[in-house]
Amino acid sequence: MEINNSRNSSSIMWFFKDKGFDDKSINVMFKKCKRLEGAQRQRALENWDYLRNIGIQERKLPSVVSKCPKILTIHLDEKLIPMVQCLATLGTKPREVASAITKFPNILSHSVEEKLCPLLAFFQALGVPEKQVGKMILLNPRIISYSIESKLSQIVDFLASLGLSEEGMIGKVLMRNPYMVGYSVDKRLQPTLEFLKSIGLTELNLQKVAVNFPEVLCRDVDKILRPNFTYLRGCGFEGGQIVAMVTAYPLILIKSINNSLEPRIRFLVEVMGRRIEEAADYPDFFRHGFKKRLELRQKLLKRKNIHCSLSEMLDCNQKKFLMKFSL
């Protein structure tokens, strides 16, 4: 759709041109926000300056406005400033609010009373302190766009179905991974849960995964979890060993095969001369840093001709490690 003459002659068009927007991007914004047709240059300029003054970098403002052109039409004193001030009370670090707005500018199009306050109440009812709710929203500002009834409540029901009945437990899961609320229960979380059950994780195992490593529940079965499981089977680990490893260190199912699992297993077998069963007995082997801990300590032990278990080698800081083996 071409920009018509009335738009070209309007003051808002001169504003966009002055800020460096081209005709194509302006046209897209008019399609996205019909309210721009009646917008005034003065309001747009005031809102633009306000966003810059609260810490959004000038070079990022065109992107922010392109994502949510409605920002330029919002009444500054009645809506924009109250939302920013409310968000500021939730933050603890400088630039947190500006960063959240840059990530998800649409957060400013929502109402404090109609959206933010009910959201705070919802999470506080789950045992999440107000400051923690603030951290969640500023980390994942898209949360404010989700419906409590049709979206967030589904996530809570899903976590409750895992048996997380202890008071405040569901809130702790969501605090640990605020991005979980953005995933579909039917398309992502439930299929992942079913896969974890299928490989042998018990209800208690699943609860531990949800509480300590909720990001695992958010990963795609066919793209990540199943390929990792298949790879571990191909390395010689038995099903029961994999379940034990996943239970002890669930991130093993979402680690990169090429950049994490494969280099560590090859190093274990080819360089350290150990059997893969040792990794099965000590799943934290996959957690420790490869260059700074695993390779370095192996070199030191080899130089001294010392052999020890993986846990003895890795379960201590560098100072204790050197003292333990008198290096």
Side-chain angles (χ1 to χ4, degrees):
M1 181 177 73
E2 296 298 324
I3 303 169
N4 59 38
N5 291 332
S6 63
R7 287 177 183 168
N8 277 315
S9 62
S10 69
S11 61
I12 192 68
M13 288 300 300
W14 288 110
F15 168 83
F16 283 129
K17 293 290 186 179
D18 182 58
K19 296 302 181 184
F21 291 90
D22 57 30
D23 286 350
K24 182 179 179 181
S25 61
I26 295 172
N27 198 47
V28 170
M29 286 190 290
F30 270 102
K31 287 181 179 179
K32 187 181 291 186
C33 179
K34 297 299 182 183
R35 292 172 63 177
L36 283 179
E37 294 181 20
Q40 294 300 311
R41 183 178 186 275
Q42 185 58 34
R43 173 167 290 181
L45 183 59
E46 289 175 356
N47 288 10
W48 180 283
D49 289 342
Y50 176 72
L51 293 172
R52 186 183 64 235
N53 290 335
I54 64 172
I56 299 178
Q57 298 174 10
E58 184 89 33
R59 63 183 178 84
K60 293 184 178 180
L61 273 172
S63 172
V64 169
V65 171
S66 294
K67 291 177 183 176
C68 184
K70 184 181 178 182
I71 285 178
L72 297 179
T73 71
I74 295 173
H75 196 287
L76 185 62
D77 294 319
E78 293 179 7
K79 195 166 185 179
L80 205 59
I81 292 177
M83 175 58 84
V84 171
Q85 290 178 338
C86 188
L87 292 173
T89 65
L90 301 177
T92 56
K93 300 177 182 177
R95 297 191 57 78
E96 271 188 315
V97 174
S99 176
I101 294 171
T102 302
K103 284 192 288 187
F104 187 64
N106 292 71
I107 193 172
L108 294 178
S109 67
H110 292 281
S111 163
V112 171
E113 295 80 11
E114 296 175 10
K115 194 69 178 184
L116 189 56
C117 290
L119 196 63
L120 290 171
F122 175 80
F123 283 113
Q124 285 178 303
L126 294 174
V128 182
E130 182 176 312
K131 280 294 181 183
Q132 291 300 320
V133 178
K135 288 181 180 180
M136 292 169 61
I137 293 174
L138 293 174
L139 182 64
N140 180 20
R142 194 174 292 272
I143 289 175
I144 202 170
S145 68
Y146 300 139
S147 164
I148 291 177
E149 292 75 20
S150 62
K151 180 68 172 173
L152 300 181
S153 294
Q154 273 196 351
I155 302 294
V156 171
D157 290 344
F158 168 78
L159 292 172
S161 73
L162 298 179
L164 301 179
S165 56
E166 185 178 333
E167 185 176 351
M169 189 59 69
I170 292 176
K172 289 180 180 178
V173 172
L174 298 179
M175 276 192 286
R176 188 177 288 272
N177 187 6
Y179 294 100
M180 174 180 275
V181 297
Y183 289 95
S184 165
V185 171
D186 295 332
K187 295 180 180 179
R188 177 59 60 84
L189 302 181
Q190 193 63 42
T192 299
L193 177 64
E194 295 305 322
F195 173 78
L196 294 175
K197 287 180 180 178
S198 74
I199 66 174
L201 267 67
T202 65
E203 182 177 346
L204 183 59
N205 296 153
L206 293 169
Q207 290 173 4
K208 290 180 178 178
V209 170
V211 171
N212 299 310
F213 300 96
E215 60 268 42
V216 173
L217 292 173
C218 301
R219 294 300 191 273
D220 186 275
V221 171
D222 295 322
K223 292 180 180 179
I224 299 177
L225 302 185
R226 186 173 284 113
N228 278 32
F229 181 80
T230 302
Y231 172 77
L232 292 171
R233 288 295 295 263
C235 289
F237 292 106
E238 297 178 356
Q241 290 176 320
I242 296 176
V243 171
M245 289 193 294
V246 171
T247 300
Y249 185 57
L251 295 185
I252 196 172
L253 276 184
I254 64 174
K255 290 279 189 179
S256 167
I257 293 174
N258 294 330
N259 298 326
S260 183
L261 299 183
E262 194 273 336
R264 281 172 171 76
I265 291 175
R266 189 189 328 126
F267 187 81
L268 177 77
V269 175
E270 297 178 6
V271 178
M272 302 178 76
R274 297 174 184 259
R275 298 175 297 112
I276 61 169
E277 285 79 8
E278 291 191 60
D281 293 336
Y282 181 68
D284 275 354
F285 169 75
F286 295 97
R287 174 175 62 85
H288 294 291
F290 187 59
K291 294 287 185 182
K292 294 184 178 180
R293 179 161 294 200
L294 191 56
E295 279 191 341
L296 178 61
R297 294 189 180 185
Q298 171 61 20
K299 287 180 182 178
L300 293 173
L301 291 175
K302 185 176 181 180
R303 188 184 305 158
K304 286 279 189 173
N305 196 29
I306 297 173
H307 183 80
C308 63
S309 69
L310 290 177
S311 61
E312 289 175 318
M313 173 185 176
L314 299 170
D315 265 352
C316 57
N317 60 36
Q318 186 68 4
K319 183 178 179 180
K320 289 182 178 179
F321 170 78
L322 296 174
M323 290 176 59
K324 181 187 295 186
F325 298 106
S326 301
L327 297 174

